[in-house]
Amino acid sequence: MSSVQPAETKTPRKYQLLIDGKWVDAESGKTFLTPNPATGETLAEVAEADKADIDKAVKAARRAFEGKWSKISARDRGRMLYKLSQLIEENSAELAALETADNGKPIKESSYVDLPQVAENFEYFAGWATKIEGETIPVPGQMFNYTLREPVGVCGQIIPWNFPLLMAAWKLAPALAAGNTVVLKPAEQTPVNAMELGKLIEQAGFPEGVVNIVPGYGETAGAALAAHPGIDKVAFTGSTEVGKLVAKAAADNLSKVSLELGGKAPNIVFADADLEQAVNGAMMGIFFNQGQVCCAGSRLFVQEDVNPMDKATHMGPQVSEEQLNRIKGYVDIAQKEGATVVSGGVSPKLEGAFQKGYFFQPTIFSDVKNQMRVAQEEIFGPVVSVIGFRDEDDLIKQANDTIYGLSAGLWTKDITRAHRFAKEIRAGVIWINTYNMFNAASPFGGYKQSGYGREMGKHALEMYTNVKSVWVDLSGKPIGWFGN
Ligand code: NAI
Ligand code: MG
Protein backbone atom coordinates (compact mmCIF):
# COMPACT_ATOMS: atom_id res chain seq x y z
CA MET A 1 0.00 0.00 0.00
CA SER A 2 1.27 3.45 -0.76
CA SER A 3 1.78 5.85 2.11
CA VAL A 4 2.32 9.07 0.18
CA GLN A 5 -0.75 11.28 -0.17
CA PRO A 6 -1.77 11.62 -3.85
CA ALA A 7 -1.01 14.91 -5.67
CA GLU A 8 -4.48 15.63 -7.00
CA THR A 9 -6.18 16.56 -3.71
CA LYS A 10 -8.34 19.66 -4.18
CA THR A 11 -7.63 21.41 -0.88
CA PRO A 12 -4.05 22.59 -0.23
CA ARG A 13 -1.96 19.96 1.55
CA LYS A 14 -0.51 20.85 4.97
CA TYR A 15 2.91 20.07 6.35
CA GLN A 16 4.64 20.66 9.68
CA LEU A 17 8.35 20.61 10.46
CA LEU A 18 10.04 17.28 11.25
CA ILE A 19 12.20 17.79 14.34
CA ASP A 20 13.39 15.05 16.69
CA GLY A 21 10.97 12.53 15.23
CA LYS A 22 7.95 14.77 15.80
CA TRP A 23 5.84 16.76 13.37
CA VAL A 24 5.59 20.24 14.88
CA ASP A 25 4.49 23.77 14.01
CA ALA A 26 7.11 26.49 13.67
CA GLU A 27 7.91 28.29 16.95
CA SER A 28 6.51 31.47 15.36
CA GLY A 29 3.38 29.65 14.21
CA LYS A 30 4.07 30.99 10.68
CA THR A 31 3.36 29.08 7.49
CA PHE A 32 4.00 29.76 3.81
CA LEU A 33 2.22 28.71 0.62
CA THR A 34 3.79 26.88 -2.29
CA PRO A 35 2.02 27.13 -5.67
CA ASN A 36 1.76 24.68 -8.54
CA PRO A 37 3.77 26.60 -11.17
CA ALA A 38 1.68 25.24 -14.06
CA THR A 39 -1.49 26.88 -12.75
CA GLY A 40 -0.48 29.30 -10.01
CA GLU A 41 -2.87 27.52 -7.60
CA THR A 42 -1.77 26.75 -4.03
CA LEU A 43 -0.43 23.22 -3.70
CA ALA A 44 0.51 23.23 -0.02
CA GLU A 45 0.69 25.25 3.17
CA VAL A 46 3.94 24.54 4.96
CA ALA A 47 5.23 25.42 8.45
CA GLU A 48 7.90 28.11 8.08
CA ALA A 49 11.08 27.35 10.01
CA ASP A 50 13.27 30.19 11.25
CA LYS A 51 16.23 30.57 13.57
CA ALA A 52 14.55 29.09 16.68
CA ASP A 53 13.39 26.00 14.78
CA ILE A 54 16.80 25.52 13.19
CA ASP A 55 18.35 25.68 16.65
CA LYS A 56 15.93 23.02 17.93
CA ALA A 57 16.64 20.81 14.93
CA VAL A 58 20.42 21.14 15.27
CA LYS A 59 20.21 20.20 18.96
CA ALA A 60 18.03 17.20 18.15
CA ALA A 61 20.50 16.10 15.47
CA ARG A 62 23.36 16.43 17.98
CA ARG A 63 21.53 14.32 20.57
CA ALA A 64 20.82 11.67 17.96
CA PHE A 65 24.42 11.73 16.76
CA GLU A 66 25.85 11.24 20.22
CA GLY A 67 23.06 8.91 21.35
CA LYS A 68 21.14 6.19 19.55
CA TRP A 69 22.57 6.68 16.07
CA SER A 70 26.18 6.21 17.17
CA LYS A 71 25.29 2.80 18.61
CA ILE A 72 23.67 1.46 15.46
CA SER A 73 25.90 -0.83 13.41
CA ALA A 74 27.01 0.01 9.89
CA ARG A 75 25.04 -2.97 8.68
CA ASP A 76 21.84 -1.64 10.22
CA ARG A 77 22.45 1.82 8.79
CA GLY A 78 22.80 0.18 5.38
CA ARG A 79 19.62 -1.81 5.88
CA MET A 80 17.66 1.34 6.76
CA LEU A 81 18.96 3.09 3.66
CA TYR A 82 18.06 0.10 1.53
CA LYS A 83 14.59 -0.04 3.08
CA LEU A 84 14.20 3.66 2.28
CA SER A 85 15.13 3.04 -1.36
CA GLN A 86 12.44 0.35 -1.52
CA LEU A 87 9.82 2.58 0.07
CA ILE A 88 10.66 5.25 -2.52
CA GLU A 89 10.19 2.74 -5.33
CA GLU A 90 6.85 1.59 -3.88
CA ASN A 91 5.64 5.19 -3.68
CA SER A 92 7.30 6.47 -6.82
CA ALA A 93 4.11 7.19 -8.81
CA GLU A 94 2.75 9.46 -6.06
CA LEU A 95 6.12 11.09 -5.43
CA ALA A 96 6.61 11.77 -9.15
CA ALA A 97 3.15 13.36 -9.41
CA LEU A 98 3.94 15.56 -6.42
CA GLU A 99 7.32 16.56 -7.83
CA THR A 100 5.58 17.67 -11.01
CA ALA A 101 2.87 19.53 -9.10
CA ASP A 102 5.45 21.33 -6.94
CA ASN A 103 8.21 22.04 -9.45
CA GLY A 104 6.38 22.05 -12.79
CA LYS A 105 8.64 19.57 -14.57
CA PRO A 106 6.81 17.27 -17.01
CA ILE A 107 5.70 13.98 -15.43
CA LYS A 108 7.93 12.14 -17.90
CA GLU A 109 10.93 13.76 -16.24
CA SER A 110 9.87 13.15 -12.64
CA SER A 111 8.83 9.55 -13.37
CA TYR A 112 11.74 8.43 -15.52
CA VAL A 113 14.61 10.62 -14.31
CA ASP A 114 14.12 12.04 -10.81
CA LEU A 115 12.42 9.18 -8.97
CA PRO A 116 14.53 6.29 -10.29
CA GLN A 117 17.70 8.21 -9.45
CA VAL A 118 16.43 9.07 -5.97
CA ALA A 119 15.90 5.36 -5.25
CA GLU A 120 19.23 4.48 -6.89
CA ASN A 121 21.18 6.89 -4.68
CA PHE A 122 19.78 5.48 -1.43
CA GLU A 123 20.36 1.94 -2.69
CA TYR A 124 23.93 2.67 -3.76
CA PHE A 125 24.92 4.30 -0.47
CA ALA A 126 23.17 1.54 1.49
CA GLY A 127 25.95 -0.69 0.14
CA TRP A 128 28.67 1.74 1.24
CA ALA A 129 27.65 1.81 4.90
CA THR A 130 29.59 -1.41 5.63
CA LYS A 131 32.53 -0.54 3.39
CA ILE A 132 33.82 2.67 4.93
CA GLU A 133 37.24 1.63 6.21
CA GLY A 134 40.46 3.06 7.57
CA GLU A 135 44.02 2.08 6.62
CA THR A 136 47.17 0.82 8.27
CA ILE A 137 50.22 2.96 7.53
CA PRO A 138 53.74 1.48 7.40
CA VAL A 139 55.47 3.91 9.80
CA PRO A 140 59.05 3.23 10.92
CA GLY A 141 60.07 1.85 14.33
CA GLN A 142 58.14 -0.11 16.91
CA MET A 143 54.95 1.70 16.13
CA PHE A 144 51.55 0.78 14.82
CA ASN A 145 49.69 3.52 12.96
CA TYR A 146 46.20 3.19 11.59
CA THR A 147 43.39 5.48 10.52
CA LEU A 148 39.72 5.52 11.38
CA ARG A 149 37.14 7.06 9.09
CA GLU A 150 34.45 8.61 11.25
CA PRO A 151 31.31 10.60 10.55
CA VAL A 152 31.82 14.39 10.72
CA GLY A 153 28.76 14.86 12.95
CA VAL A 154 25.75 17.08 12.36
CA CYS A 155 25.30 18.11 8.72
CA GLY A 156 23.25 21.09 7.54
CA GLN A 157 22.01 20.48 4.00
CA ILE A 158 20.47 23.24 1.89
CA ILE A 159 18.55 21.99 -1.14
CA PRO A 160 17.53 23.81 -4.36
CA TRP A 161 14.22 23.62 -6.23
CA ASN A 162 15.31 22.29 -9.65
CA PHE A 163 15.50 18.60 -8.62
CA PRO A 164 13.92 18.85 -5.16
CA LEU A 165 13.90 15.21 -4.15
CA LEU A 166 16.98 14.14 -6.09
CA MET A 167 19.21 16.85 -4.61
CA ALA A 168 17.99 15.83 -1.15
CA ALA A 169 18.90 12.20 -1.99
CA TRP A 170 22.38 13.15 -3.26
CA LYS A 171 23.09 14.77 0.09
CA LEU A 172 21.21 12.58 2.56
CA ALA A 173 22.32 9.18 1.28
CA PRO A 174 26.12 9.55 1.76
CA ALA A 175 25.67 11.53 4.99
CA LEU A 176 23.57 8.77 6.56
CA ALA A 177 25.68 5.93 5.14
CA ALA A 178 28.70 7.45 6.89
CA GLY A 179 26.82 7.75 10.21
CA ASN A 180 26.07 11.48 10.33
CA THR A 181 22.85 13.15 11.38
CA VAL A 182 21.18 15.82 9.27
CA VAL A 183 19.18 19.02 9.36
CA LEU A 184 17.80 19.45 5.86
CA LYS A 185 16.27 22.64 4.51
CA PRO A 186 14.36 22.22 1.25
CA ALA A 187 13.91 25.18 -1.10
CA GLU A 188 10.93 27.41 -0.29
CA GLN A 189 9.63 26.93 -3.87
CA THR A 190 9.50 23.11 -3.59
CA PRO A 191 9.21 21.81 -0.02
CA VAL A 192 6.52 19.16 -0.56
CA ASN A 193 8.45 16.01 -1.39
CA ALA A 194 11.10 16.61 1.27
CA MET A 195 8.26 16.36 3.80
CA GLU A 196 6.92 13.19 2.15
CA LEU A 197 10.45 11.80 2.25
CA GLY A 198 10.48 12.55 5.98
CA LYS A 199 7.51 10.20 6.41
CA LEU A 200 9.30 7.43 4.51
CA ILE A 201 12.48 8.00 6.55
CA GLU A 202 10.44 7.37 9.71
CA GLN A 203 8.95 4.22 8.17
CA ALA A 204 12.41 2.96 7.20
CA GLY A 205 13.29 2.88 10.89
CA PHE A 206 15.76 5.75 11.31
CA PRO A 207 15.72 6.84 14.97
CA GLU A 208 14.25 10.22 15.90
CA GLY A 209 16.50 13.21 15.30
CA VAL A 210 18.72 11.49 12.71
CA VAL A 211 17.00 13.41 9.91
CA ASN A 212 15.27 16.70 10.71
CA ILE A 213 13.48 18.57 7.91
CA VAL A 214 12.92 22.29 8.28
CA PRO A 215 11.41 24.08 5.27
CA GLY A 216 11.73 27.86 5.24
CA TYR A 217 13.19 30.80 3.36
CA GLY A 218 16.84 31.08 2.42
CA GLU A 219 17.55 34.42 4.09
CA THR A 220 16.10 33.20 7.40
CA ALA A 221 16.12 29.41 7.86
CA GLY A 222 18.93 28.79 5.33
CA ALA A 223 21.16 31.51 6.71
CA ALA A 224 20.56 30.33 10.31
CA LEU A 225 21.53 26.79 9.35
CA ALA A 226 24.72 27.81 7.53
CA ALA A 227 25.82 29.98 10.47
CA HIS A 228 24.86 27.62 13.32
CA PRO A 229 27.86 26.75 15.50
CA GLY A 230 26.40 23.28 16.15
CA ILE A 231 26.80 22.30 12.50
CA ASP A 232 29.94 20.32 11.59
CA LYS A 233 29.40 20.37 7.86
CA VAL A 234 27.28 22.45 5.50
CA ALA A 235 26.32 21.10 2.08
CA PHE A 236 24.74 23.54 -0.35
CA THR A 237 23.41 23.42 -3.89
CA GLY A 238 22.18 26.63 -5.47
CA SER A 239 23.41 29.92 -6.86
CA THR A 240 27.08 30.91 -6.77
CA GLU A 241 26.08 34.15 -5.05
CA VAL A 242 24.40 32.37 -2.12
CA GLY A 243 27.14 29.69 -2.10
CA LYS A 244 29.62 32.42 -1.22
CA LEU A 245 27.35 33.65 1.61
CA VAL A 246 27.07 30.10 2.94
CA ALA A 247 30.85 29.60 2.87
CA LYS A 248 31.37 32.93 4.68
CA ALA A 249 28.77 32.07 7.35
CA ALA A 250 30.31 28.64 7.89
CA ALA A 251 33.81 30.13 8.09
CA ASP A 252 33.03 31.68 11.47
CA ASN A 253 32.69 28.18 12.93
CA LEU A 254 35.17 26.65 10.48
CA SER A 255 32.51 24.07 9.66
CA LYS A 256 33.30 22.05 6.59
CA VAL A 257 31.58 23.19 3.43
CA SER A 258 30.74 21.61 0.09
CA LEU A 259 29.20 23.69 -2.66
CA GLU A 260 27.52 22.65 -5.88
CA LEU A 261 26.93 25.94 -7.68
CA GLY A 262 26.11 27.44 -11.03
CA GLY A 263 27.43 26.65 -14.46
CA LYS A 264 27.64 27.99 -17.99
CA ALA A 265 28.64 24.81 -19.73
CA PRO A 266 30.10 24.76 -23.22
CA ASN A 267 28.41 22.17 -25.42
CA ILE A 268 30.64 21.86 -28.47
CA VAL A 269 29.64 20.60 -31.89
CA PHE A 270 32.43 19.86 -34.35
CA ALA A 271 31.73 19.67 -38.06
CA ASP A 272 32.59 15.95 -38.01
CA ALA A 273 29.96 15.11 -35.37
CA ASP A 274 27.04 12.81 -36.06
CA LEU A 275 24.61 15.68 -36.54
CA GLU A 276 21.48 13.84 -35.52
CA GLN A 277 23.16 12.80 -32.29
CA ALA A 278 24.52 16.32 -31.74
CA VAL A 279 21.21 18.12 -32.40
CA ASN A 280 19.44 15.78 -30.06
CA GLY A 281 22.15 16.21 -27.46
CA ALA A 282 22.17 19.99 -27.80
CA MET A 283 18.45 20.09 -27.06
CA MET A 284 18.80 17.66 -24.17
CA GLY A 285 21.68 19.80 -22.93
CA ILE A 286 19.69 23.01 -22.63
CA PHE A 287 15.95 22.32 -22.67
CA PHE A 288 15.84 19.40 -20.22
CA ASN A 289 14.09 20.41 -16.97
CA GLN A 290 13.13 23.74 -18.63
CA GLY A 291 16.79 24.72 -18.67
CA GLN A 292 16.86 24.79 -14.86
CA VAL A 293 19.96 22.65 -14.60
CA CYS A 294 23.31 23.71 -13.18
CA CYS A 295 25.19 21.66 -15.80
CA ALA A 296 22.96 22.84 -18.70
CA GLY A 297 24.77 23.23 -22.02
CA SER A 298 23.87 26.91 -22.27
CA ARG A 299 26.80 27.90 -24.53
CA LEU A 300 26.44 25.94 -27.73
CA PHE A 301 29.74 26.21 -29.63
CA VAL A 302 29.23 25.30 -33.24
CA GLN A 303 32.01 24.86 -35.78
CA GLU A 304 31.71 26.87 -39.01
CA ASP A 305 28.48 26.11 -40.94
CA VAL A 306 26.88 23.51 -38.71
CA ASN A 307 23.22 24.36 -37.91
CA PRO A 308 22.27 22.03 -35.11
CA MET A 309 19.04 23.59 -33.82
CA ASP A 310 15.97 23.07 -35.93
CA LYS A 311 13.20 21.78 -33.70
CA ALA A 312 11.68 22.47 -30.30
CA THR A 313 10.81 20.11 -27.51
CA HIS A 314 8.02 19.48 -25.01
CA MET A 315 8.27 21.84 -22.04
CA GLY A 316 6.82 22.41 -18.57
CA PRO A 317 6.60 25.76 -16.75
CA GLN A 318 9.52 27.43 -14.97
CA VAL A 319 9.52 26.90 -11.22
CA SER A 320 8.34 30.38 -10.17
CA GLU A 321 7.27 33.78 -11.42
CA GLU A 322 10.59 35.15 -10.13
CA GLN A 323 12.55 32.74 -12.33
CA LEU A 324 10.30 33.49 -15.32
CA ASN A 325 10.96 37.23 -14.93
CA ARG A 326 14.66 36.59 -14.59
CA ILE A 327 14.69 34.74 -17.93
CA LYS A 328 12.70 37.52 -19.63
CA GLY A 329 15.22 40.02 -18.28
CA TYR A 330 18.06 38.08 -19.90
CA VAL A 331 16.26 38.02 -23.25
CA ASP A 332 16.20 41.84 -23.15
CA ILE A 333 19.85 41.99 -22.12
CA ALA A 334 20.86 39.65 -24.95
CA GLN A 335 19.03 41.67 -27.57
CA LYS A 336 20.59 44.92 -26.31
CA GLU A 337 24.01 43.26 -26.56
CA GLY A 338 23.35 42.43 -30.23
CA ALA A 339 22.22 38.80 -30.08
CA THR A 340 19.41 37.66 -32.41
CA VAL A 341 16.43 35.55 -31.33
CA VAL A 342 16.24 32.64 -33.78
CA SER A 343 13.30 31.02 -32.01
CA GLY A 344 11.25 31.55 -28.84
CA GLY A 345 12.09 34.56 -26.67
CA VAL A 346 8.60 34.95 -25.17
CA SER A 347 6.03 33.14 -23.02
CA PRO A 348 3.57 31.03 -25.04
CA LYS A 349 -0.12 32.03 -25.04
CA LEU A 350 -1.87 29.23 -23.16
CA GLU A 351 -5.52 28.53 -22.48
CA GLY A 352 -7.57 27.52 -19.43
CA ALA A 353 -5.82 26.31 -16.29
CA PHE A 354 -2.37 27.09 -17.69
CA GLN A 355 -3.07 30.79 -18.39
CA LYS A 356 -1.45 31.76 -15.11
CA GLY A 357 1.38 29.22 -15.37
CA TYR A 358 5.02 30.34 -15.57
CA PHE A 359 5.76 29.07 -19.08
CA PHE A 360 8.51 30.24 -21.43
CA GLN A 361 9.32 29.10 -24.94
CA PRO A 362 12.56 27.27 -25.72
CA THR A 363 14.79 30.08 -26.90
CA ILE A 364 17.78 30.13 -29.21
CA PHE A 365 20.09 33.11 -29.68
CA SER A 366 22.52 33.49 -32.54
CA ASP A 367 25.14 36.21 -33.09
CA VAL A 368 26.40 35.67 -29.55
CA LYS A 369 29.98 36.46 -28.54
CA ASN A 370 31.38 34.59 -25.56
CA GLN A 371 32.05 37.85 -23.68
CA MET A 372 28.36 38.89 -23.71
CA ARG A 373 26.44 38.67 -20.43
CA VAL A 374 24.03 36.17 -21.97
CA ALA A 375 27.02 33.84 -22.49
CA GLN A 376 28.71 34.53 -19.16
CA GLU A 377 25.87 34.59 -16.60
CA GLU A 378 23.77 31.65 -15.52
CA ILE A 379 20.19 32.15 -16.78
CA PHE A 380 18.67 28.89 -15.53
CA GLY A 381 16.02 28.78 -18.22
CA PRO A 382 15.49 27.24 -21.67
CA VAL A 383 17.79 29.76 -23.32
CA VAL A 384 20.81 28.75 -25.38
CA SER A 385 23.45 30.98 -26.93
CA VAL A 386 24.93 29.72 -30.18
CA ILE A 387 28.55 30.80 -30.53
CA GLY A 388 30.75 30.13 -33.53
CA PHE A 389 34.37 28.91 -33.45
CA ARG A 390 37.09 28.34 -36.01
CA ASP A 391 39.56 25.78 -34.71
CA GLU A 392 40.50 23.88 -31.58
CA ASP A 393 42.77 26.53 -30.07
CA ASP A 394 40.15 29.21 -30.51
CA LEU A 395 37.53 26.90 -29.03
CA ILE A 396 39.45 25.85 -25.92
CA LYS A 397 40.14 29.49 -25.07
CA GLN A 398 36.49 30.44 -25.41
CA ALA A 399 35.11 27.33 -23.72
CA ASN A 400 37.32 27.90 -20.66
CA ASP A 401 36.69 31.66 -20.63
CA THR A 402 34.03 31.54 -17.89
CA ILE A 403 34.03 31.81 -14.10
CA TYR A 404 32.25 28.44 -14.01
CA GLY A 405 33.52 24.90 -14.50
CA LEU A 406 30.81 22.37 -13.81
CA SER A 407 30.41 20.43 -17.04
CA ALA A 408 31.04 20.34 -20.78
CA GLY A 409 29.73 18.40 -23.77
CA LEU A 410 31.66 17.46 -26.93
CA TRP A 411 30.30 16.12 -30.18
CA THR A 412 32.88 14.65 -32.56
CA LYS A 413 33.84 11.38 -34.23
CA ASP A 414 37.53 12.07 -33.71
CA ILE A 415 38.51 10.02 -30.68
CA THR A 416 41.88 11.67 -30.13
CA ARG A 417 40.30 15.11 -30.19
CA ALA A 418 37.60 13.94 -27.79
CA HIS A 419 40.10 12.84 -25.13
CA ARG A 420 42.30 15.88 -25.70
CA PHE A 421 39.31 18.05 -24.88
CA ALA A 422 38.30 15.98 -21.90
CA LYS A 423 41.72 16.86 -20.49
CA GLU A 424 41.84 20.51 -21.47
CA ILE A 425 38.37 21.68 -20.46
CA ARG A 426 38.40 22.88 -16.86
CA ALA A 427 35.17 21.34 -15.58
CA GLY A 428 34.14 18.56 -13.20
CA VAL A 429 32.12 16.49 -15.68
CA ILE A 430 32.74 15.91 -19.40
CA TRP A 431 30.20 14.25 -21.67
CA ILE A 432 31.48 12.94 -25.02
CA ASN A 433 28.79 12.38 -27.65
CA THR A 434 26.23 12.37 -24.85
CA TYR A 435 24.85 14.80 -22.26
CA ASN A 436 23.23 14.86 -18.79
CA MET A 437 24.36 11.36 -17.86
CA PHE A 438 24.31 10.61 -14.13
CA ASN A 439 24.79 7.62 -11.93
CA ALA A 440 24.93 7.27 -8.15
CA ALA A 441 28.41 5.68 -8.51
CA SER A 442 29.89 8.49 -10.62
CA PRO A 443 31.16 11.70 -8.97
CA PHE A 444 29.62 15.08 -9.80
CA GLY A 445 30.85 18.55 -8.86
CA GLY A 446 32.58 21.69 -10.02
CA TYR A 447 35.85 23.40 -10.83
CA LYS A 448 36.34 27.15 -10.31
CA GLN A 449 33.24 29.04 -9.11
CA SER A 450 31.02 26.03 -9.71
CA GLY A 451 31.98 24.94 -6.21
CA TYR A 452 33.95 22.30 -4.37
CA GLY A 453 33.39 18.78 -3.09
CA ARG A 454 31.97 15.88 -5.09
CA GLU A 455 28.53 14.37 -4.78
CA MET A 456 27.77 10.71 -5.51
CA GLY A 457 30.24 7.89 -5.83
CA LYS A 458 32.85 7.09 -3.20
CA HIS A 459 34.09 10.69 -3.36
CA ALA A 460 30.90 11.87 -1.65
CA LEU A 461 31.93 9.88 1.43
CA GLU A 462 35.06 11.99 1.74
CA MET A 463 32.86 15.02 2.41
CA TYR A 464 30.97 13.19 5.14
CA THR A 465 33.85 11.57 7.02
CA ASN A 466 36.82 12.69 9.08
CA VAL A 467 40.09 10.79 9.08
CA LYS A 468 41.61 10.03 12.45
CA SER A 469 45.20 8.82 12.74
CA VAL A 470 45.91 6.50 15.68
CA TRP A 471 49.49 5.81 16.92
CA VAL A 472 50.26 2.84 19.17
CA ASP A 473 53.64 2.04 20.71
CA LEU A 474 54.61 -1.60 20.25
CA SER A 475 57.93 -1.49 22.13
CA GLY A 476 56.66 -1.11 25.69
CA LYS A 477 59.59 1.28 26.37
CA PRO A 478 59.62 4.98 27.35
CA ILE A 479 60.10 7.45 24.48
CA GLY A 480 63.39 8.39 26.14
CA TRP A 481 63.76 11.93 24.80
CA PHE A 482 64.21 13.48 28.27
CA GLY A 483 66.45 10.82 29.70
CA ASN A 484 66.42 7.06 30.29
P1 NAI B 1 19.33 30.23 -4.21
O1 NAI B 1 20.77 29.94 -4.29
O2 NAI B 1 18.89 31.48 -3.52
O3 NAI B 1 18.55 29.00 -3.49
C1 NAI B 1 19.06 27.70 -3.27
C2 NAI B 1 18.81 27.30 -1.83
O4 NAI B 1 19.53 28.18 -0.97
C3 NAI B 1 17.36 27.39 -1.36
O5 NAI B 1 17.09 26.36 -0.45
C4 NAI B 1 17.32 28.72 -0.64
O6 NAI B 1 16.30 28.80 0.33
C5 NAI B 1 18.68 28.76 0.00
N1 NAI B 1 19.18 30.09 0.35
C6 NAI B 1 18.91 31.27 -0.26
N2 NAI B 1 19.55 32.28 0.37
C7 NAI B 1 20.27 31.73 1.37
C8 NAI B 1 21.15 32.25 2.37
N3 NAI B 1 21.42 33.54 2.45
N4 NAI B 1 21.73 31.38 3.24
C9 NAI B 1 21.47 30.06 3.16
N5 NAI B 1 20.64 29.51 2.25
C10 NAI B 1 20.04 30.33 1.37
O7 NAI B 1 18.74 30.19 -5.67
P2 NAI B 1 17.41 30.92 -6.23
O8 NAI B 1 17.31 32.29 -5.67
O9 NAI B 1 16.27 30.02 -5.98
O10 NAI B 1 17.73 30.96 -7.78
C11 NAI B 1 18.58 31.97 -8.30
C12 NAI B 1 19.56 31.38 -9.27
O11 NAI B 1 20.39 30.44 -8.62
C13 NAI B 1 18.96 30.60 -10.42
O12 NAI B 1 18.51 31.43 -11.45
C14 NAI B 1 20.13 29.75 -10.82
O13 NAI B 1 20.99 30.51 -11.63
C15 NAI B 1 20.82 29.45 -9.52
N6 NAI B 1 20.47 28.11 -9.01
C16 NAI B 1 21.35 27.09 -9.23
C17 NAI B 1 21.04 25.81 -8.82
C18 NAI B 1 21.98 24.68 -9.06
O14 NAI B 1 21.55 23.55 -9.23
N7 NAI B 1 23.29 24.89 -9.04
C19 NAI B 1 19.76 25.48 -8.18
C20 NAI B 1 18.92 26.66 -7.94
C21 NAI B 1 19.28 27.90 -8.37
MG1 MG C 1 17.79 33.26 -3.92
Side-chain angles (χ1 to χ4, degrees):
M1 215 193 71
S2 77
S3 41
V4 172
Q5 225 183 306
E8 60 278 2
T9 44
K10 288 280 173 292
T11 48
R13 318 159 66 83
K14 282 192 191 307
Y15 294 100
Q16 293 172 292
L17 314 175
L18 177 58
I19 299 178
D20 210 9
K22 293 175 204 71
W23 294 89
V24 294
D25 289 333
E27 290 285 310
S28 66
K30 280 196 209 164
T31 61
F32 66 101
L33 302 178
T34 177
N36 177 335
T39 61
E41 274 170 26
T42 299
L43 174 68
E45 182 183 359
V46 184
E48 184 191 325
D50 203 335
K51 210 170 172 205
D53 310 285
I54 296 293
D55 190 53
K56 256 169 65 182
V58 172
K59 287 183 175 136
R62 177 65 58 191
R63 277 195 302 277
F65 180 69
E66 286 169 2
K68 270 191 192 162
W69 191 230
S70 66
K71 297 185 181 63
I72 286 175
S73 68
R75 182 183 182 205
D76 283 342
R77 286 202 309 269
R79 286 163 74 106
M80 286 175 205
L81 282 164
Y82 187 66
K83 173 90 178 144
L84 180 58
S85 76
Q86 289 181 313
L87 287 168
I88 288 162
E89 280 182 359
E90 282 165 29
N91 289 279
S92 69
E94 290 84 356
L95 291 167
L98 277 175
E99 201 75 333
T100 286
D102 203 10
N103 165 281
K105 60 179 70 198
I107 190 73
K108 182 176 157 190
E109 290 185 16
S110 23
S111 308
Y112 298 120
V113 180
D114 297 60
L115 262 298
Q117 290 190 30
V118 170
E120 180 195 73
N121 270 272
F122 285 111
E123 189 180 320
Y124 172 81
F125 282 102
W128 265 115
T130 46
K131 293 161 198 74
I132 299 170
E133 297 169 342
E135 323 133 278
T136 59
I137 320 276
V139 291
Q142 289 277 63
M143 283 287 164
F144 175 38
N145 180 230
Y146 64 94
T147 62
L148 295 173
R149 228 171 224 283
E150 299 180 333
V152 291
V154 177
C155 302
Q157 303 186 326
I158 301 172
I159 310 299
W161 45 260
N162 53 343
F163 295 88
L165 201 50
L166 184 56
M167 295 300 102
W170 279 15
K171 293 191 176 11
L172 276 170
L176 296 173
N180 299 280
T181 59
V182 175
V183 178
L184 181 135
K185 193 202 80 67
E188 54 270 38
Q189 296 85 350
T190 55
V192 168
N193 261 343
M195 309 323 291
E196 294 294 344
L197 183 65
K199 296 181 196 168
L200 300 182
I201 285 170
E202 290 188 309
Q203 279 181 46
F206 290 91
E208 68 273 5
V210 171
V211 179
N212 305 273
I213 307 180
V214 281
Y217 290 97
E219 299 73 24
T220 52
L225 187 56
H228 200 292
I231 292 286
D232 297 297
K233 183 213 154 52
V234 188
F236 171 83
T237 297
S239 59
T240 294
E241 184 194 352
V242 174
K244 291 178 186 176
L245 294 177
V246 165
K248 282 179 192 153
D252 264 345
N253 311 309
L254 290 178
S255 358
K256 293 178 192 309
V257 180
S258 60
L259 301 171
E260 204 265 87
L261 307 176
K264 197 74 195 178
N267 195 5
I268 302 156
V269 182
F270 278 95
D272 73 343
D274 176 327
L275 271 200
E276 200 191 330
Q277 219 185 8
V279 170
N280 217 279
M283 291 200 298
M284 176 62 172
I286 186 64
F287 298 140
F288 179 68
N289 205 36
Q290 293 57 250
Q292 302 165 142
V293 184
C294 46
C295 50
S298 49
R299 289 184 297 149
L300 185 63
F301 285 97
V302 177
Q303 193 172 29
E304 286 155 10
D305 325 302
V306 185
N307 175 20
M309 305 295 285
D310 59 2
K311 51 183 171 177
T313 186
H314 184 73
M315 302 285 291
Q318 308 309 129
V319 73
S320 64
E321 196 169 4
E322 187 189 352
Q323 285 300 120
L324 179 64
N325 290 335
R326 198 185 151 92
I327 296 165
K328 288 179 178 164
Y330 270 106
V331 172
D332 290 343
I333 291 169
Q335 284 171 316
K336 288 203 187 97
E337 288 181 304
T340 310
V341 177
V342 179
S343 101
V346 289
S347 286
K349 298 253 171 311
L350 297 175
E351 302 291 313
F354 300 120
Q355 262 174 20
K356 293 201 178 121
Y358 316 133
F359 291 87
F360 199 74
Q361 286 186 351
T363 299
I364 303 168
F365 280 112
S366 65
D367 304 319
V368 178
K369 299 267 174 294
N370 193 54
Q371 301 75 31
M372 291 181 181
R373 281 184 66 189
V374 72
Q376 287 292 325
E377 296 173 23
E378 185 173 55
I379 300 174
F380 232 59
V383 179
V384 67
S385 298
V386 181
I387 308 170
F389 70 91
R390 289 185 311 278
D391 52 33
E392 277 191 29
D393 287 346
D394 171 41
L395 170 66
I396 287 288
K397 247 200 247 126
Q398 292 199 68
N400 280 333
D401 180 14
T402 164
I403 59 166
Y404 296 114
L406 193 52
S407 61
L410 293 173
W411 304 85
T412 181
K413 286 188 188 136
D414 181 339
I415 190 169
T416 56
R417 173 154 66 200
H419 290 291
R420 222 166 29 241
F421 272 102
K423 229 177 133 195
E424 287 182 26
I425 300 266
R426 297 196 62 218
V429 189
I430 309 286
W431 287 298
I432 296 170
N433 293 332
T434 186
Y435 210 91
N436 278 344
M437 288 297 134
F438 294 94
N439 185 274
S442 181
F444 182 84
Y447 280 39
K448 302 196 270 185
Q449 291 197 30
S450 291
Y452 38 74
R454 291 292 175 272
E455 303 202 271
M456 299 192 287
K458 65 179 175 203
H459 298 278
L461 294 168
E462 280 159 26
M463 310 199 296
Y464 288 101
T465 50
N466 278 328
V467 177
K468 180 183 280 175
S469 177
V470 183
W471 289 81
V472 187
D473 166 73
L474 300 180
S475 73
K477 294 181 189 147
I479 297 174
W481 184 263
F482 293 106
N484 292 329

